[in-house]
């Protein structure tokens, strides 16, 4: 099921549960999963009976990030753009290919999901790395198990953080620099202390806690929740988040181009195994 249906969807009462379902690959995100997530979120938004959305990951881990090495990696496969109006990346070369694909599949999709008018809770266990961190960042709340850990290690590739660069706003500037400069993993408790995570609970209590929070939120008026979410997002943008993210996306792609000139490839010669082995 994982490769054919990378995302599952169910409704429990007033809560829609959107679950990444590539557990065999630690829920690594290929384009197929990205578009399946988008379809599931759209389904939840269009269902008037759904008040809250939970984003989850099947298996031991929430998400190990972008798919840079599984058999299901589909970087050269065409999908109709949903997040932005741009030409297809397939058949393009160099920076044109990378920029077109990442602006759609990574930055564009995450920005689109941040604007979902219903509250979204990330239910995080195990690894939440790089692209997985992006998915957690776009959610309105994060409830994590005490075995969860987080990291954005892509500076090891010579790249200044993942495409959806919300780090200074979500973590604060000094914590953002610490996790990026070192590439080290940080615990759910540390994330809670920095204000990135709302709650940390024992692993066997995670699901119950998330649905208890969802039920409390669902008691609020739907339109009031949507306006409140929009109000907070607008204030973040007034503090520079959207413009900052746009400028860092340019730096991100300058780093890709630099790698393509001086290293083995645009990822600085790092593959999934090398990234995993370098983690601390």
């Amino acid at each position: 099921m994982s490769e054919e249906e990378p995302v599952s969807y169910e409704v429990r009462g007033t809560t829609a549960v959107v679950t990444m379902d590539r557990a065999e690959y630690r829920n690594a995100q290929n384009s197929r999963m990205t578009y399946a997530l988008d379809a599931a979120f759209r389904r939840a938004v269009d269902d008037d009976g759904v008040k809250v959305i939970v984003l989850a990951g099947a298996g031991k881990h929430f998400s190990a990030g972008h798919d840079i090495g599984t058999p299901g990696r589909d970087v050269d496969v065409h999908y109709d753009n949903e997040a932005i109006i741009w030409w297809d990346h397939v058949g393009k070369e160099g920076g044109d290919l990378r920029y077109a694909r990442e602006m759609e599949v990574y930055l564009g999709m995450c920005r689109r999901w941040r604007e979902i008018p219903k509250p979204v809770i990330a239910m995080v266990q195990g690894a939440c790395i790089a692209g997985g961190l992006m998915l957690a960042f776009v959610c309105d709340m994060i409830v994590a198990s005490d075995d969860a850990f987080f990291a954005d290690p892509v500076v090891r590739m010579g790249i200044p953080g993942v495409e959806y660069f919300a780090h200074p706003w979500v973590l604060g500037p000094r914590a953002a620099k610490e996790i990026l400069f070192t590439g080290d993993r940080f615990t759910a408790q540390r994330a809670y202390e920095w204000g990135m995570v709302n709650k940390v609970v024992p692993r066997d209590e995670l699901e119950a806690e998330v649905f208890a929070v969802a039920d409390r939120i669902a008691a609020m008026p739907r339109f009031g929740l949507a306006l409140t979410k929009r109000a907070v997002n607008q204030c973040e943008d007034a503090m520079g988040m959207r413009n900052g993210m746009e400028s860092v996306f340019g730096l991100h792609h300058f780093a890709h181009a630099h790698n393509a000139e001086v290293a083995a490839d645009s990822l600085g010669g790092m593959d999934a195994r090398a990234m995993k082995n370098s983690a601390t």
Side-chain angles (χ1 to χ4, degrees):
M1 177 179 180
S2 294
E3 287 305 284
E4 293 182 3
E5 300 292 342
V7 172
S8 66
Y9 181 91
E10 64 174 314
V11 175
R12 304 185 194 177
T14 57
T15 299
V17 186
V18 176
T19 304
M20 295 175 282
D21 196 8
R22 298 186 77 211
E24 180 181 0
Y25 303 113
R26 302 171 78 195
N27 295 318
Q29 306 152 29
N30 56 10
S31 294
R32 186 179 181 88
M33 174 183 281
T34 299
Y35 287 99
L37 283 171
D38 191 65
F41 288 140
R42 166 56 67 188
R43 183 176 175 184
V45 170
D46 288 343
D47 185 344
D48 285 344
V50 168
K51 298 287 292 292
V52 181
I53 303 168
V54 169
L55 176 61
K60 295 180 179 180
H61 301 285
F62 179 75
S63 176
H66 299 331
D67 185 344
I68 60 173
T70 82
R73 188 167 189 250
D74 53 1
V75 66
D76 295 323
V77 177
H78 165 76
Y79 296 87
D80 289 338
N81 282 10
E82 297 287 347
I84 59 168
I85 298 176
W86 201 265
W87 49 72
D88 186 26
H89 71 283
V90 175
K92 307 304 186 294
E93 296 180 336
D96 190 357
L97 183 156
R98 288 189 297 271
Y99 191 83
R101 180 172 185 268
E102 293 192 1
M103 188 164 57
E104 160 71 10
V105 176
Y106 299 145
L107 179 61
M109 279 295 185
C110 283
R111 282 179 169 174
R112 174 178 167 88
W113 298 336
R114 176 177 176 253
E115 299 302 322
I116 291 170
K118 297 180 180 182
V120 184
I121 305 171
M123 181 166 66
V124 178
Q125 82 285 1
C128 182
I129 308 296
L133 200 63
M134 287 170 42
L135 293 182
F137 278 173
V138 302
C139 296
D140 303 298
M141 296 180 64
I142 302 173
V143 180
S145 62
D146 53 10
D147 67 347
F149 58 91
F150 305 85
D152 184 356
V154 301
V155 178
R156 295 194 180 101
M157 298 176 172
I159 298 171
V162 288
E163 296 84 354
Y164 184 83
F165 194 82
H167 310 53
W169 292 270
V170 174
L171 288 159
R174 296 195 185 280
K177 288 176 181 177
E178 177 182 333
I179 71 159
L180 290 165
F181 287 171
T182 65
D184 289 347
R185 295 174 175 178
F186 56 101
T187 65
Q189 182 59 35
R190 194 85 190 277
Y192 174 78
E193 292 165 1
W194 282 332
M196 185 190 112
V197 164
N198 296 87
K199 291 175 178 285
V200 180
V201 298
R203 178 69 183 86
D204 60 359
E205 298 176 15
L206 178 62
E207 186 171 318
E209 181 63 29
V210 167
F211 283 96
V213 172
D215 286 345
R216 290 188 64 190
I217 294 171
M220 295 292 188
R222 184 183 66 173
F223 192 49
L225 290 170
L227 293 179
T228 301
K229 176 169 181 171
R230 191 162 180 81
V232 176
N233 285 359
Q234 287 177 342
C235 288
E236 280 188 313
D237 288 339
M239 291 186 282
M241 188 167 97
R242 186 176 182 88
N243 288 340
M245 195 177 295
E246 190 70 34
S247 67
V248 175
F249 190 66
L251 296 176
H252 181 101
H253 279 274
F254 178 65
H256 274 314
H258 176 74
N259 283 342
E261 288 195 30
V262 305
D265 54 37
S266 65
L267 300 180
M270 299 290 283
D271 58 16
R273 183 180 298 276
M275 292 294 285
K276 182 179 180 180
N277 290 342
S278 63
T280 59

